[in-house]
Amino acid sequence: MADLKEAAGAGILGESPDGKPIEYHGVINDPEMEGLTLYEKKALLVNRELDSHGMGKYQWYIFFLCGMGYMIDLLYAQAFGLVEPALKQELGFSTADSGNIFSSFNAGLCAGAFVWGVLVDIIGRQYAFNLTVLIASVFGLCLGAPSNYDGILVLTAFVGFGVGGNIPIDTTITLEFLPQNRRFLLALLSIFQPIGVVVSSGIAYGFVPKYACGNGGLGRDGELLKACDQVAAGQPCCDKASNMGWRYLLFTLGAICLFVFFLRFVVFRFQESPKYLLYRGKDEKAVQVLHNIAQFNGRQSTVTMAVFDALTDEDTSVGSGETDKPILGAGTKQLQTSFGQKVKIELARYRLLFSNAAIARLTILVWITYMFDYWGFSIAGSLLPQILLNKNREIEVSTARTYRNYVIIYICGIPGVLLGALMYGVPLVGRQWGMVASSALMGVSLFLFSAINTEASNVGINIMEYFFQSMFNA
């Protein structure tokens, strides 16, 4: 070990595959490591290694594949608002029961976000990264099959459970692999959300009006056709065969999810997070992952087990001593913990969110912000499409034209995200005032939408609402 320290002091720690010495300066006497735990020191070296890559090919793959997770989240959040009128017409449930569809999806989202948010630190990023999309694709493909209300509710909840894990997992993965000077790209990741909404709306425009009961859901007398179990035998009604548009939409979205799973699992082999592996005491695997990423990027990794061993020998390494209870950053101690113990450890970490008054206040404010943020998403994705369809029917705008307008409205969310991301670097504005202004203007647009009813105003005001909503979310 003395030889290792002597080599570390000289800045030489290990050899490359071609036999040349690998230099890594400042590991032993690095002032930036003062006061850090052993895990934190290793994590710092991992950060430095990934930072040295810049935005390599691996990082761009991660960015776009995680972006597709964001896209899937909004594909379905938008889809249920687009198919609800056709669903209600065919199955014959009441307007009050329509809310159960959105509640079922949101309950699945909530459960998925919590469960996957905990599991991602127990089973690892690699499994969670793929399983969430697989679950969403399997149940999404099944979602167009049922012809009963209860079946739709059950499958919708399971789709929500899969989709709900995407945002927390993809955000975590993106943060762990992006270089620190490119962290602003995390805000830009939100651009995939309006893209998902536009894709969902565009597919709905192609299927739902064309394959709807009668003429856009209307009978010859101009009235909405009713479900077949609500009319007398032999009377015109809305049956499954004449109302396949919403099914085609959901089948297509399920196929898109399956394609994303194929990209994640087959085309691109995601490497487990080095920080997660360090946390679980799997240092050798973490080093191997860093070398795999470096090779993928056409580089050579400077982190070896010799580097970590030099840190391990440090007497000042806080957290390297033996303890009975595994703690965050305990490294090899995690190898002896059972699955149940790991769950308890992860749940116990939530206490840190309320460790003092300042952090508790910040936690509560962030939670409230996210709740209202998703409230805006629910309004835009679930309710506004239905309201716009009903308002357009009052002024005799066709169903097909209404679905076309959805595409026009939601495509404007893309520049909204770009503007929101740019707010990060605007002096005297920044994130805080950018969020204040965008949320206020989003609220104003909702008031205006409730007061005016012309086709042009409906489109324009909804564009305003979704633009500022996307800006706020970025």
Side-chain angles (χ1 to χ4, degrees):
M1 185 60 70
D3 293 338
L4 177 60
K5 276 197 156 186
E6 184 178 347
I12 300 174
L13 292 170
E15 292 184 347
S16 64
D18 58 4
K20 295 180 180 179
I22 293 176
E23 295 187 2
Y24 205 101
H25 299 282
V27 171
I28 299 299
N29 300 312
D30 189 340
E32 197 174 347
M33 292 190 177
E34 289 292 329
L36 299 183
T37 66
L38 179 58
Y39 168 78
E40 289 169 340
K41 291 179 180 181
K42 293 177 181 179
L44 179 61
L45 294 182
V46 169
N47 281 339
R48 289 176 177 175
E49 172 64 24
L50 293 176
D51 286 347
S52 71
H53 292 202
M55 281 303 290
K57 184 167 66 170
Y58 187 88
Q59 281 75 14
W60 282 117
Y61 272 62
I62 287 291
F63 178 78
F64 283 104
L65 287 174
C66 288
M68 288 182 183
Y70 271 59
M71 181 187 74
I72 288 172
D73 186 53
L74 269 292
L75 278 177
Y76 281 105
Q78 184 69 17
F80 293 110
L82 297 171
V83 303
E84 185 275 340
L87 263 173
K88 181 170 64 176
Q89 190 175 7
E90 179 187 330
L91 302 183
F93 52 84
S94 67
T95 301
D97 289 333
S98 294
N100 292 334
I101 295 175
F102 307 115
S103 296
S104 178
F105 180 63
N106 289 329
L109 284 177
C110 185
F114 178 77
V115 171
W116 291 110
V118 174
L119 281 180
V120 72
D121 288 325
I122 298 174
I123 65 174
R125 280 69 162 134
Q126 191 173 39
Y127 287 111
F129 185 64
N130 292 316
L131 283 175
T132 51
V133 178
L134 180 61
I135 291 171
S137 64
V138 170
F139 288 101
L141 285 168
C142 296
L143 194 53
S147 296
N148 63 84
Y149 178 70
D150 292 336
I152 293 291
L153 291 182
V154 172
L155 290 173
T156 297
F158 278 105
V159 170
F161 180 76
V163 170
N166 274 321
I167 298 297
I169 291 171
D170 293 336
T171 302
T172 300
I173 290 172
T174 302
L175 275 174
E176 288 184 340
F177 283 97
L178 283 181
Q180 295 186 61
N181 63 351
R182 293 291 186 272
R183 293 290 172 85
F184 67 89
L185 289 174
L186 185 66
L188 200 58
L189 203 64
S190 297
I191 200 170
F192 289 92
Q193 292 183 315
I195 289 175
V197 174
V198 171
V199 170
S200 187
S201 300
I203 297 170
Y205 174 46
F207 284 136
V208 177
K210 184 176 181 180
Y211 300 100
C213 295
N215 180 22
L218 304 177
R220 293 180 180 178
D221 57 359
E223 296 294 324
L224 281 173
L225 291 172
K226 294 183 178 181
C228 292
D229 61 356
Q230 295 179 345
V231 300
Q235 293 295 315
C237 65
C238 183
D239 61 2
K240 177 178 179 179
S242 60
N243 196 42
M244 291 295 293
W246 67 269
R247 289 184 168 85
Y248 293 152
L249 169 62
L250 295 177
F251 287 145
T252 305
L253 298 188
I256 291 174
C257 287
L258 191 61
F259 176 69
V260 173
F261 172 74
F262 177 78
L263 291 178
R264 288 184 172 193
F265 189 70
V266 178
V267 176
F268 175 78
R269 295 309 299 269
F270 172 70
Q271 301 286 327
E272 184 56 87
S273 165
K275 289 183 182 178
Y276 168 78
L277 293 171
L278 291 178
Y279 174 42
R280 292 301 175 197
K282 301 176 181 180
D283 290 8
E284 290 187 7
K285 287 187 177 181
V287 170
Q288 185 59 52
V289 166
L290 290 175
H291 282 268
N292 292 342
I293 294 173
Q295 185 177 16
F296 193 89
N297 286 335
R299 296 173 55 87
Q300 179 178 293
S301 175
T302 56
V303 178
T304 66
M305 282 302 297
V307 176
F308 286 166
D309 289 341
L311 293 174
T312 304
D313 192 54
E314 289 279 78
D315 295 332
T316 57
S317 294
V318 180
S320 60
E322 294 298 326
T323 59
D324 294 331
K325 183 179 179 181
I327 59 173
L328 174 63
T332 54
K333 300 182 187 68
Q334 294 287 330
L335 297 174
Q336 284 77 48
T337 57
S338 65
F339 181 84
Q341 288 175 314
K342 290 176 181 178
V343 172
K344 291 180 180 179
I345 292 170
E346 296 306 320
L347 293 177
R349 292 169 63 194
Y350 285 90
R351 297 175 187 169
L352 297 174
L353 298 175
F354 301 93
S355 56
N356 59 55
I359 293 178
R361 177 175 175 271
L362 179 61
T363 297
I364 293 171
L365 288 175
V366 170
W367 283 357
I368 292 173
T369 301
Y370 266 90
M371 284 190 288
F372 278 96
D373 182 31
Y374 197 77
W375 186 23
F377 268 112
S378 296
I379 291 173
S382 304
L383 303 179
L384 286 184
Q386 301 173 60
I387 296 171
L388 184 58
L389 181 62
N390 292 331
K391 291 180 74 172
N392 279 352
R393 281 174 176 166
E394 291 177 6
I395 57 178
E396 299 183 350
V397 176
S398 69
T399 302
R401 192 176 179 90
T402 299
Y403 275 79
R404 184 212 65 178
N405 290 344
Y406 292 151
V407 179
I408 297 172
I409 290 167
Y410 294 118
I411 202 170
C412 294
I414 296 174
V417 171
L418 293 174
L419 181 60
L422 287 174
M423 288 295 103
Y424 276 66
V426 177
L428 303 178
V429 179
R431 286 169 284 185
Q432 181 179 358
W433 289 109
M435 292 174 68
V436 170
S438 58
S439 60
L441 291 168
M442 181 173 66
V444 168
S445 65
L446 291 174
F447 280 110
L448 293 174
F449 182 58
S450 64
I452 306 172
N453 189 20
T454 66
E455 183 180 8
S457 65
N458 288 340
V459 172
I461 293 172
N462 274 278
I463 286 175
M464 176 181 171
E465 188 280 333
Y466 196 66
F467 177 89
F468 288 113
Q469 178 184 321
S470 300
M471 177 182 168
F472 176 87
N473 193 59

mmCIF file of all heavy atoms in Angstrom, residues 36-61:
data_model
loop_
_atom_site.group_PDB
_atom_site.id
_atom_site.type_symbol
_atom_site.label_atom_id
_atom_site.label_comp_id
_atom_site.label_asym_id
_atom_site.label_seq_id
_atom_site.Cartn_x
_atom_site.Cartn_y
_atom_site.Cartn_z
ATOM 1 N N LEU A 36 -14.995 15.274 3.003
ATOM 2 C CA LEU A 36 -15.962 14.442 2.302
ATOM 3 C C LEU A 36 -15.905 13.009 2.813
ATOM 4 O O LEU A 36 -14.865 12.523 3.254
ATOM 5 C CB LEU A 36 -15.691 14.454 0.795
ATOM 6 C CG LEU A 36 -15.779 15.794 0.067
ATOM 7 C CD1 LEU A 36 -15.545 15.590 -1.428
ATOM 8 C CD2 LEU A 36 -17.122 16.462 0.301
ATOM 9 N N THR A 37 -17.049 12.313 2.744
ATOM 10 C CA THR A 37 -17.064 10.885 3.053
ATOM 11 C C THR A 37 -16.373 10.130 1.926
ATOM 12 O O THR A 37 -16.133 10.674 0.842
ATOM 13 C CB THR A 37 -18.499 10.362 3.199
ATOM 14 O OG1 THR A 37 -19.147 10.456 1.924
ATOM 15 C CG2 THR A 37 -19.285 11.160 4.224
ATOM 16 N N LEU A 38 -16.076 8.881 2.194
ATOM 17 C CA LEU A 38 -15.409 8.063 1.183
ATOM 18 C C LEU A 38 -16.265 7.970 -0.083
ATOM 19 O O LEU A 38 -15.755 8.084 -1.202
ATOM 20 C CB LEU A 38 -15.141 6.665 1.747
ATOM 21 C CG LEU A 38 -14.466 5.656 0.813
ATOM 22 C CD1 LEU A 38 -13.131 6.188 0.321
ATOM 23 C CD2 LEU A 38 -14.304 4.313 1.517
ATOM 24 N N TYR A 39 -17.575 7.766 0.116
ATOM 25 C CA TYR A 39 -18.480 7.701 -1.041
ATOM 26 C C TYR A 39 -18.463 9.009 -1.827
ATOM 27 O O TYR A 39 -18.409 9.024 -3.062
ATOM 28 C CB TYR A 39 -19.906 7.395 -0.573
ATOM 29 C CG TYR A 39 -20.951 7.601 -1.653
ATOM 30 C CD1 TYR A 39 -21.133 6.651 -2.652
ATOM 31 C CD2 TYR A 39 -21.740 8.753 -1.676
ATOM 32 C CE1 TYR A 39 -22.082 6.840 -3.650
ATOM 33 C CE2 TYR A 39 -22.679 8.951 -2.667
ATOM 34 C CZ TYR A 39 -22.852 7.994 -3.648
ATOM 35 O OH TYR A 39 -23.785 8.192 -4.636
ATOM 36 N N GLU A 40 -18.477 10.129 -1.112
ATOM 37 C CA GLU A 40 -18.498 11.434 -1.784
ATOM 38 C C GLU A 40 -17.206 11.691 -2.556
ATOM 39 O O GLU A 40 -17.228 12.315 -3.619
ATOM 40 C CB GLU A 40 -18.736 12.543 -0.753
ATOM 41 C CG GLU A 40 -20.154 12.551 -0.207
ATOM 42 C CD GLU A 40 -20.309 13.456 1.000
ATOM 43 O OE1 GLU A 40 -19.281 13.777 1.653
ATOM 44 O OE2 GLU A 40 -21.453 13.841 1.305
ATOM 45 N N LYS A 41 -16.084 11.205 -2.028
ATOM 46 C CA LYS A 41 -14.819 11.352 -2.754
ATOM 47 C C LYS A 41 -14.841 10.566 -4.065
ATOM 48 O O LYS A 41 -14.424 11.056 -5.121
ATOM 49 C CB LYS A 41 -13.653 10.880 -1.877
ATOM 50 C CG LYS A 41 -13.359 11.787 -0.686
ATOM 51 C CD LYS A 41 -12.202 11.231 0.134
ATOM 52 C CE LYS A 41 -11.902 12.141 1.324
ATOM 53 N NZ LYS A 41 -10.763 11.648 2.126
ATOM 54 N N LYS A 42 -15.333 9.347 -3.974
ATOM 55 C CA LYS A 42 -15.422 8.529 -5.182
ATOM 56 C C LYS A 42 -16.399 9.147 -6.179
ATOM 57 O O LYS A 42 -16.144 9.162 -7.397
ATOM 58 C CB LYS A 42 -15.860 7.112 -4.826
ATOM 59 C CG LYS A 42 -14.825 6.340 -4.016
ATOM 60 C CD LYS A 42 -15.340 4.966 -3.619
ATOM 61 C CE LYS A 42 -14.310 4.200 -2.794
ATOM 62 N NZ LYS A 42 -14.798 2.866 -2.383
ATOM 63 N N ALA A 43 -17.531 9.651 -5.680
ATOM 64 C CA ALA A 43 -18.513 10.285 -6.555
ATOM 65 C C ALA A 43 -17.922 11.517 -7.230
ATOM 66 O O ALA A 43 -18.228 11.814 -8.398
ATOM 67 C CB ALA A 43 -19.761 10.668 -5.760
ATOM 68 N N LEU A 44 -17.070 12.251 -6.492
ATOM 69 C CA LEU A 44 -16.405 13.422 -7.067
ATOM 70 C C LEU A 44 -15.507 13.012 -8.232
ATOM 71 O O LEU A 44 -15.468 13.673 -9.283
ATOM 72 C CB LEU A 44 -15.589 14.142 -5.994
ATOM 73 C CG LEU A 44 -14.800 15.374 -6.440
ATOM 74 C CD1 LEU A 44 -15.740 16.449 -6.983
ATOM 75 C CD2 LEU A 44 -13.969 15.933 -5.291
ATOM 76 N N LEU A 45 -14.795 11.909 -8.086
ATOM 77 C CA LEU A 45 -13.943 11.418 -9.170
ATOM 78 C C LEU A 45 -14.774 10.980 -10.371
ATOM 79 O O LEU A 45 -14.381 11.194 -11.519
ATOM 80 C CB LEU A 45 -13.086 10.251 -8.676
ATOM 81 C CG LEU A 45 -12.036 10.575 -7.611
ATOM 82 C CD1 LEU A 45 -11.242 9.324 -7.256
ATOM 83 C CD2 LEU A 45 -11.093 11.673 -8.085
ATOM 84 N N VAL A 46 -15.927 10.374 -10.093
ATOM 85 C CA VAL A 46 -16.827 9.986 -11.187
ATOM 86 C C VAL A 46 -17.315 11.221 -11.935
ATOM 87 O O VAL A 46 -17.332 11.249 -13.174
ATOM 88 C CB VAL A 46 -18.027 9.175 -10.642
ATOM 89 C CG1 VAL A 46 -19.094 8.994 -11.722
ATOM 90 C CG2 VAL A 46 -17.561 7.817 -10.132
ATOM 91 N N ASN A 47 -17.688 12.259 -11.188
ATOM 92 C CA ASN A 47 -18.132 13.509 -11.822
ATOM 93 C C ASN A 47 -17.042 14.113 -12.703
ATOM 94 O O ASN A 47 -17.304 14.567 -13.822
ATOM 95 C CB ASN A 47 -18.553 14.531 -10.762
ATOM 96 C CG ASN A 47 -19.938 14.259 -10.216
ATOM 97 O OD1 ASN A 47 -20.734 13.582 -10.852
ATOM 98 N ND2 ASN A 47 -20.230 14.780 -9.041
ATOM 99 N N ARG A 48 -15.820 14.115 -12.175
ATOM 100 C CA ARG A 48 -14.710 14.679 -12.946
ATOM 101 C C ARG A 48 -14.470 13.881 -14.226
ATOM 102 O O ARG A 48 -14.193 14.444 -15.278
ATOM 103 C CB ARG A 48 -13.448 14.703 -12.092
ATOM 104 C CG ARG A 48 -13.474 15.739 -10.980
ATOM 105 C CD ARG A 48 -12.229 15.627 -10.121
ATOM 106 N NE ARG A 48 -12.197 16.653 -9.075
ATOM 107 C CZ ARG A 48 -11.272 16.721 -8.130
ATOM 108 N NH1 ARG A 48 -10.302 15.808 -8.106
ATOM 109 N NH2 ARG A 48 -11.300 17.675 -7.226
ATOM 110 N N GLU A 49 -14.573 12.567 -14.117
ATOM 111 C CA GLU A 49 -14.364 11.718 -15.293
ATOM 112 C C GLU A 49 -15.434 12.000 -16.358
ATOM 113 O O GLU A 49 -15.117 12.177 -17.537
ATOM 114 C CB GLU A 49 -14.405 10.245 -14.880
ATOM 115 C CG GLU A 49 -14.379 9.258 -16.033
ATOM 116 C CD GLU A 49 -13.094 9.310 -16.831
ATOM 117 O OE1 GLU A 49 -12.056 9.735 -16.289
ATOM 118 O OE2 GLU A 49 -13.124 8.927 -18.018
ATOM 119 N N LEU A 50 -16.693 12.064 -15.942
ATOM 120 C CA LEU A 50 -17.766 12.320 -16.899
ATOM 121 C C LEU A 50 -17.694 13.744 -17.448
ATOM 122 O O LEU A 50 -17.999 13.981 -18.617
ATOM 123 C CB LEU A 50 -19.126 12.062 -16.244
ATOM 124 C CG LEU A 50 -19.414 10.590 -15.875
ATOM 125 C CD1 LEU A 50 -20.739 10.478 -15.136
ATOM 126 C CD2 LEU A 50 -19.428 9.704 -17.120
ATOM 127 N N ASP A 51 -17.289 14.688 -16.594
ATOM 128 C CA ASP A 51 -17.123 16.061 -17.069
ATOM 129 C C ASP A 51 -16.056 16.147 -18.154
ATOM 130 O O ASP A 51 -16.166 16.947 -19.091
ATOM 131 C CB ASP A 51 -16.745 16.990 -15.907
ATOM 132 C CG ASP A 51 -17.909 17.276 -14.986
ATOM 133 O OD1 ASP A 51 -19.052 16.960 -15.362
ATOM 134 O OD2 ASP A 51 -17.682 17.809 -13.884
ATOM 135 N N SER A 52 -15.021 15.314 -18.024
ATOM 136 C CA SER A 52 -13.941 15.351 -19.015
ATOM 137 C C SER A 52 -14.406 14.857 -20.385
ATOM 138 O O SER A 52 -13.800 15.176 -21.398
ATOM 139 C CB SER A 52 -12.755 14.504 -18.534
ATOM 140 O OG SER A 52 -13.065 13.116 -18.575
ATOM 141 N N HIS A 53 -15.505 14.098 -20.416
ATOM 142 C CA HIS A 53 -16.047 13.616 -21.689
ATOM 143 C C HIS A 53 -16.786 14.719 -22.442
ATOM 144 O O HIS A 53 -16.918 14.646 -23.666
ATOM 145 C CB HIS A 53 -17.024 12.457 -21.458
ATOM 146 C CG HIS A 53 -16.381 11.209 -20.962
ATOM 147 N ND1 HIS A 53 -16.958 9.961 -21.115
ATOM 148 C CD2 HIS A 53 -15.217 10.982 -20.303
ATOM 149 C CE1 HIS A 53 -16.180 9.041 -20.585
ATOM 150 N NE2 HIS A 53 -15.117 9.649 -20.063
ATOM 151 N N GLY A 54 -17.296 15.706 -21.705
ATOM 152 C CA GLY A 54 -18.180 16.682 -22.338
ATOM 153 C C GLY A 54 -19.466 15.999 -22.783
ATOM 154 O O GLY A 54 -19.884 14.990 -22.209
ATOM 155 N N MET A 55 -20.101 16.524 -23.822
ATOM 156 C CA MET A 55 -21.300 15.887 -24.369
ATOM 157 C C MET A 55 -20.875 14.877 -25.438
ATOM 158 O O MET A 55 -20.949 15.130 -26.640
ATOM 159 C CB MET A 55 -22.251 16.927 -24.941
ATOM 160 C CG MET A 55 -23.070 17.649 -23.912
ATOM 161 S SD MET A 55 -24.084 16.552 -22.866
ATOM 162 C CE MET A 55 -25.304 15.990 -24.055
ATOM 163 N N GLY A 56 -20.402 13.729 -24.951
ATOM 164 C CA GLY A 56 -19.996 12.674 -25.865
ATOM 165 C C GLY A 56 -21.189 11.961 -26.464
ATOM 166 O O GLY A 56 -22.361 12.251 -26.146
ATOM 167 N N LYS A 57 -20.910 10.984 -27.305
ATOM 168 C CA LYS A 57 -21.975 10.246 -27.982
ATOM 169 C C LYS A 57 -22.888 9.547 -26.964
ATOM 170 O O LYS A 57 -24.109 9.534 -27.120
ATOM 171 C CB LYS A 57 -21.361 9.221 -28.938
ATOM 172 C CG LYS A 57 -22.378 8.454 -29.774
ATOM 173 C CD LYS A 57 -21.704 7.688 -30.910
ATOM 174 C CE LYS A 57 -20.818 6.576 -30.369
ATOM 175 N NZ LYS A 57 -20.344 5.671 -31.450
ATOM 176 N N TYR A 58 -22.298 8.988 -25.912
ATOM 177 C CA TYR A 58 -23.093 8.302 -24.896
ATOM 178 C C TYR A 58 -24.052 9.276 -24.212
ATOM 179 O O TYR A 58 -25.226 8.962 -23.985
ATOM 180 C CB TYR A 58 -22.171 7.662 -23.858
ATOM 181 C CG TYR A 58 -22.902 6.789 -22.860
ATOM 182 C CD1 TYR A 58 -23.126 5.453 -23.130
ATOM 183 C CD2 TYR A 58 -23.377 7.317 -21.660
ATOM 184 C CE1 TYR A 58 -23.813 4.660 -22.230
ATOM 185 C CE2 TYR A 58 -24.054 6.532 -20.754
ATOM 186 C CZ TYR A 58 -24.271 5.193 -21.046
ATOM 187 O OH TYR A 58 -24.964 4.410 -20.149
ATOM 188 N N GLN A 59 -23.564 10.469 -23.885
ATOM 189 C CA GLN A 59 -24.399 11.470 -23.209
ATOM 190 C C GLN A 59 -25.565 11.907 -24.091
ATOM 191 O O GLN A 59 -26.684 12.114 -23.600
ATOM 192 C CB GLN A 59 -23.550 12.676 -22.806
ATOM 193 C CG GLN A 59 -22.727 12.490 -21.548
ATOM 194 C CD GLN A 59 -21.514 11.601 -21.746
ATOM 195 O OE1 GLN A 59 -21.116 11.315 -22.871
ATOM 196 N NE2 GLN A 59 -20.907 11.158 -20.653
ATOM 197 N N TRP A 60 -25.328 12.046 -25.388
ATOM 198 C CA TRP A 60 -26.417 12.432 -26.293
ATOM 199 C C TRP A 60 -27.454 11.309 -26.404
ATOM 200 O O TRP A 60 -28.657 11.579 -26.473
ATOM 201 C CB TRP A 60 -25.871 12.806 -27.670
ATOM 202 C CG TRP A 60 -25.278 14.177 -27.729
ATOM 203 C CD1 TRP A 60 -23.980 14.513 -27.987
ATOM 204 C CD2 TRP A 60 -25.968 15.428 -27.520
ATOM 205 N NE1 TRP A 60 -23.807 15.881 -27.947
ATOM 206 C CE2 TRP A 60 -25.016 16.464 -27.666
ATOM 207 C CE3 TRP A 60 -27.286 15.768 -27.209
ATOM 208 C CZ2 TRP A 60 -25.345 17.816 -27.526
ATOM 209 C CZ3 TRP A 60 -27.615 17.115 -27.071
ATOM 210 C CH2 TRP A 60 -26.660 18.110 -27.224
ATOM 211 N N TYR A 61 -27.002 10.072 -26.425
ATOM 212 C CA TYR A 61 -27.948 8.955 -26.441
ATOM 213 C C TYR A 61 -28.829 8.990 -25.191
ATOM 214 O O TYR A 61 -30.047 8.802 -25.268
ATOM 215 C CB TYR A 61 -27.186 7.623 -26.505
ATOM 216 C CG TYR A 61 -26.864 7.133 -27.893
ATOM 217 C CD1 TYR A 61 -26.048 7.886 -28.746
ATOM 218 C CD2 TYR A 61 -27.340 5.924 -28.370
ATOM 219 C CE1 TYR A 61 -25.721 7.444 -30.012
ATOM 220 C CE2 TYR A 61 -27.024 5.471 -29.647
ATOM 221 C CZ TYR A 61 -26.219 6.236 -30.458
ATOM 222 O OH TYR A 61 -25.914 5.792 -31.717
#
